[in-house]
């Protein structure tokens, strides 16, 4: 019988420096203790996207202060930590390196095991902090500025298989690009969502990427959609017409939500799983969650969406995945572990 | 006192444990590996090797000294964040020191000295020192031909040859060099742990959007 264990998670794969703390109980349940995040998003805004060097600099500056905040929030000290998990990839190389190096130093100083874990798995694992243990098999749809993936999860700490992904832009990237076309601020998700609520989703028939009969069933493409929006807006401008921003946003958002949910529900049916987890920064999008809820209900699928704060990148999701791999008896990662920007999703823990 | 010394501002991955008493600093154990692509992989294992060889625990160190650059950014941050995390976990002060000062402190030459390291893009990071090894200019980042060498007979650091004056050792920061350069600072409150980047991040604000219609018409 093992006692409760405290797991610390460190995240630095993109523009958020996250430190989270969770408690792994003897029965395998995982409880959130602290979730401190420092974001450099404002520093990237004028560049219209994440600038890797700016993100890396921000991670270095934020690492120790964010750790302090997480500890204060939990009322714990570093000496209470029993294991450390860190995002080993995928992500921006220089950004990952900061978190991985820090995690090695904390682990060595505290003499606790280190787990280099997969960021994508973290997005799924985080849901157990809010909705409890996942079923033995479930499907996860990850949508953010950096990823758009369909994953089959067979034991969160054990086996994750990618069954589909974007072949070009991530969904969140398409939001950022469309926001730029419409002169809306970066990041594009929130302003487009807000405008879309005022518009008609059927006003413009934007294309649904990769939905032809011969297309890959579970892959996504958003590059064509983005270009279609740009073309439509430009044509209207040339004709001297005013751009109906709300209708463009609503129709664009409808196209994104339609494809994401249709493919996710289809995959769940095909693979015979009855639970869908939607996570990642775009999971907070109002139309996506609405349409997903409707289609999952029709298909008899249980939908789980973590609260927005847990959906975006954070350290708690890495701590959660660390707790699950610890519970599953995974071997710790070596201290010469590299950061791996292209870490395959099937690698849950770096060995 | 026992001081952990780390530097990843050059192709060398430097880790050591240094004893600092009344006399000159002494390295109890050190590892210096030249591998510009593996700072993140090598630093922590090397430091643990050092501690094992010295027969000490990390928590026995009284302070940490880390090279704050200048140096290529990704590698430089490995040493800085490692030092920051160790200091936080062990409750010990972390003192940043200009990495070029650490090279100067160990230079095998008399008189005024230049130190130059590789800044890539055909430039060098450089600084100038007087005979007592006090920094009198720099650190800067420039092309080697732009470094003023008048009045200097010798240069240290991995890019010393590029300055066209006599090149002397060392080429990279050593643990004893780092602690020597930090000796005065070790008596006081640590300075903020801020890297000497010297260059702005490469980033351009987006220009006017390109027309998709004209692109499509091609
Ligand atoms: Zn993410």
């Amino acid at each position: 019988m093992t006692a409760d264990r405290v797991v610390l998670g460190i995240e630095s794969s993109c523009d958020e420096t996250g430190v989270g703390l969770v408690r792994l109980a003897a029965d395998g349940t995982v409880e959130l203790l602290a979730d401190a995040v420092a974001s450099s998003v404002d520093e990237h805004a004028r560049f219209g996207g994440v600038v890797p060097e700016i993100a890396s600099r921000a991670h270095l500056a934020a690492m120790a202060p964010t750790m302090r905040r997480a500890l204060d929030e939990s009322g714990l000290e570093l000496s209470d930590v029993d294991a450390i998990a860190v995002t080993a990839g995928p992500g921006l190389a220089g950004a990952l390196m900061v978190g991985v190096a820090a995690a090695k130093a904390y682990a060595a100083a505290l003499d606790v095991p280190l787990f280099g874990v997969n960021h994508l798995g973290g997005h799924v694992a985080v849901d157990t902090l809010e909705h409890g243990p996942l079923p033995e098999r479930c499907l996860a749809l990850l949508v953010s500025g950096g990823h758009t993936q369909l994953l089959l999860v067979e034991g969160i700490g054990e086996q994750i298989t990618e069954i589909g992904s974007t072949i070009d832009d991530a969904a969140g990237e398409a939001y950022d690009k469309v926001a730029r076309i419409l002169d809306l601020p970066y990041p594009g998700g929130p302003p487009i969502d807000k405008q879309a609520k005022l518009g008609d989703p059927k006003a413009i028939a934007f294309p649904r990427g990769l939905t032809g009969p011969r297309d890959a069933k579970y892959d996504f493409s958003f590059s064509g959609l983005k270009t279609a929006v740009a073309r439509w807006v430009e044509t209207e401008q040339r004709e001297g017409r005013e751009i109906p921003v709300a209708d463009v946003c609503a129709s664009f958002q409808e196209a994104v939500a339609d494809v994401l949910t249709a493919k996710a529900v289809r995959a769940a049916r095909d693979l015979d799983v009855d639970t869908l987890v939607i996570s990642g920064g775009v999971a907070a999008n109002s139309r996506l969650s609405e349409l997903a809820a409707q289609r999952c209900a029709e298909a008899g699928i249980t939908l789980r969406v973590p609260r927005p704060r847990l959906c975006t990148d954070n350290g708690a999701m890495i701590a959660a995945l660390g707790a699950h791999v610890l519970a599953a008896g995974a071997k710790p990662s070596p201290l010469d572990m590299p950061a791996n920007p292209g870490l395959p999703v099937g690698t849950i823990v770096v060995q | 006192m026992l001081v952990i010394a780390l530097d990843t501002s050059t192709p060398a991955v430097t880790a050591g444990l240094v004893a600092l008493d009344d006399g000159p600093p002494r390295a109890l154990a050190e590892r210096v590996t030249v591998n510009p692509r593996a700072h993140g992989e090598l630093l922590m294992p090397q430091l643990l090797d050092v501690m094992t060889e010295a027969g000490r625990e990390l928590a026995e160190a009284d302070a940490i000294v880390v090279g704050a650059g200048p140096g290529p950014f990704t590698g430089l941050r490995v040493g800085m964040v490692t030092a920051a995390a160790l200091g936080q976990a062990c409750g010990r002060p972390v003192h940043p020191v200009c990495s070029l000062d650490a090279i100067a402190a160990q230079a095998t030459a008399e008189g005024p000295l230049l130190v130059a390291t590789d800044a890539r893009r055909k430039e060098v990071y450089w600084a100038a020192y007087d005979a007592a090894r006090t920094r009198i200019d720099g650190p800067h980042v420039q092309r080697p031909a732009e470094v003023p060498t008048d009045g200097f007979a010798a240069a240290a650091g991995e890019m010393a040859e590029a300055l066209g004056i006599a090149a002397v050792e060392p080429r990279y920061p050593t643990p004893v060099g780092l602690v020597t350069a930090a000796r005065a600072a070790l008596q006081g409150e640590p300075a903020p742990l801020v890297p000497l980047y010297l260059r702005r991040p490469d980033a351009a604000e987006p220009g006017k959007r390109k027309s998709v219609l004209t692109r499509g018409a091609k």
Side-chain angles (χ1 to χ4, degrees):
Chain A
M1 184 77 186
T2 23
D4 287 2
R5 285 172 286 181
V6 173
V7 182
L8 173 81
I10 297 176
E11 154 65 27
S12 72
S13 66
C14 192
D15 59 346
E16 325 276 358
T17 313
V19 178
L21 285 154
V22 302
R23 187 189 309 281
L24 169 66
D27 66 0
T29 55
V30 184
E31 175 202 353
L32 178 63
L33 302 176
D35 171 23
V37 175
S39 179
S40 60
V41 64
D42 295 343
E43 295 173 59
H44 305 285
R46 67 194 174 98
F47 302 106
V50 174
V51 179
E53 177 59 23
I54 292 176
S56 301
R57 290 184 182 195
H59 286 308
L60 174 58
M63 187 55 65
T66 309
M67 176 66 69
R68 187 68 258 160
R69 278 202 288 130
L71 293 168
D72 290 349
E73 207 178 289
S74 67
L76 297 175
E77 278 310 321
L78 274 169
S79 54
D80 296 314
V81 170
D82 297 299
I84 295 180
V86 62
T87 300
L92 303 169
L96 288 167
M97 192 91 88
V98 176
V100 169
K104 289 177 180 179
Y106 287 118
L110 302 173
D111 196 20
V112 298
L114 172 71
F115 297 94
V117 300
N118 194 298
H119 177 84
L120 302 175
H123 274 304
V124 185
V126 77
D127 188 60
T128 63
L129 298 177
E130 185 163 345
H131 299 118
L134 285 163
E136 259 172 53
R137 293 175 82 237
C138 69
L139 193 70
L141 171 64
L142 303 189
V143 266
S144 75
H147 11 272
T148 305
Q149 263 124 344
L150 268 174
L151 309 176
L152 177 63
V153 182
E154 295 166 296
I156 179 61
E158 288 156 73
Q159 192 171 337
I160 301 181
T161 316
E162 180 178 285
I163 59 164
S165 74
T166 180
I167 59 165
D168 40 55
D169 294 348
E173 230 177 319
Y175 269 88
D176 294 340
K177 288 174 177 171
V178 167
R180 242 197 108 211
I181 292 167
L182 298 171
D183 287 323
L184 295 171
Y186 169 90
I192 289 179
D193 198 5
K194 195 171 157 202
Q195 285 289 324
K197 286 177 184 161
L198 310 169
D200 175 6
K202 295 196 174 77
I204 309 151
F206 286 131
R208 269 59 169 165
L210 290 187
T211 50
R214 288 162 191 276
D215 289 331
K217 277 197 290 189
Y218 310 132
D219 283 341
F220 304 96
S221 166
F222 296 104
S223 169
L225 171 59
K226 165 203 73 193
T227 307
V229 174
R231 249 170 210 284
W232 192 90
V233 168
E234 206 175 317
T235 305
E236 292 295 294
Q237 281 167 339
R238 286 201 178 176
E239 300 294 323
R241 286 192 283 266
E242 190 162 329
I243 303 303
V245 173
D247 285 348
V248 175
C249 288
S251 300
F252 161 75
Q253 176 149 296
E254 192 65 16
V256 174
D258 182 22
V259 175
L260 287 172
T261 54
K263 292 205 173 207
V265 168
R266 178 178 186 179
R269 279 195 175 131
D270 292 354
L271 296 165
D272 198 25
V273 298
D274 61 6
T275 302
L276 173 67
V277 178
I278 303 185
S279 186
V282 180
N285 178 270
S286 67
R287 183 56 187 151
L288 177 62
S289 40
E290 185 181 55
L291 196 55
Q294 184 194 323
R295 288 181 171 172
C296 282
E298 284 162 12
I301 295 166
T302 305
L303 175 65
R304 299 172 46 143
V305 184
R307 59 181 178 269
R309 163 90 201 195
L310 293 179
C311 275
T312 49
D313 291 350
N314 59 68
M317 67 189 234
I318 302 307
L321 182 55
H324 289 294
V325 302
L326 184 65
K331 219 173 72 174
S333 308
L335 277 187
D336 63 355
M337 160 181 72
N340 183 350
L343 190 69
V345 65
T347 306
I348 301 174
V349 187
V350 176
Q351 298 296 356
Chain B
M1 78 195 289
L2 283 179
V3 184
I4 289 172
L6 305 172
D7 190 285
T8 54
S9 66
T10 71
V13 182
T14 297
L17 183 66
V18 176
L20 180 61
D21 302 306
D22 294 337
R26 286 175 299 121
L28 300 181
E30 61 186 345
R31 294 283 183 282
V32 180
T33 312
V34 177
N35 185 338
R37 305 198 153 273
H39 291 91
E41 287 87 329
L42 296 175
L43 184 63
M44 217 45 227
Q46 282 192 185
L47 177 59
L48 293 188
D49 282 354
V50 162
M51 301 311 289
T52 305
E53 187 184 316
R56 301 287 192 159
E57 302 288 332
L58 287 170
E60 288 180 70
D62 301 291
I64 299 162
V65 169
V66 63
F73 309 151
T74 301
L76 172 61
R77 279 188 284 265
V78 169
M80 298 284 294
V81 82
T82 299
L86 282 176
Q88 190 173 32
C90 299
R92 296 290 184 276
V94 182
H95 297 270
V97 55
C98 173
S99 300
L100 303 178
D101 294 2
I103 295 174
Q106 291 280 88
T108 54
E110 305 284 319
L113 176 82
L114 290 170
V115 174
T117 59
D118 191 356
R120 301 178 185 168
R121 303 181 194 179
K122 298 182 178 158
E123 293 187 318
V124 294
Y125 296 117
W126 70 275
Y129 299 83
D130 65 16
R133 297 298 175 253
T134 301
R135 176 152 37 94
I136 52 174
D137 195 6
H140 301 291
V141 58
Q142 275 175 306
R143 288 176 172 268
E146 294 164 344
V147 179
T149 52
D150 276 3
F152 296 92
E158 57 169 328
M159 294 302 282
E161 286 86 356
L163 301 187
I165 50 178
V168 299
E169 290 293 310
R171 299 179 66 78
Y172 305 112
T174 65
V176 166
L178 288 158
V179 174
T180 305
R183 190 163 194 157
L186 277 163
Q187 307 310 317
E189 281 292 303
L193 217 49
V194 180
L196 298 162
Y197 286 122
L198 306 195
R199 283 182 182 140
R200 290 171 176 285
D202 278 332
E205 289 184 40
K208 205 172 142 34
R209 235 171 349 99
K210 288 191 220 70
S211 164
V212 287
L213 294 180
T214 45
R215 196 180 351 147
K218 249 194 298 191

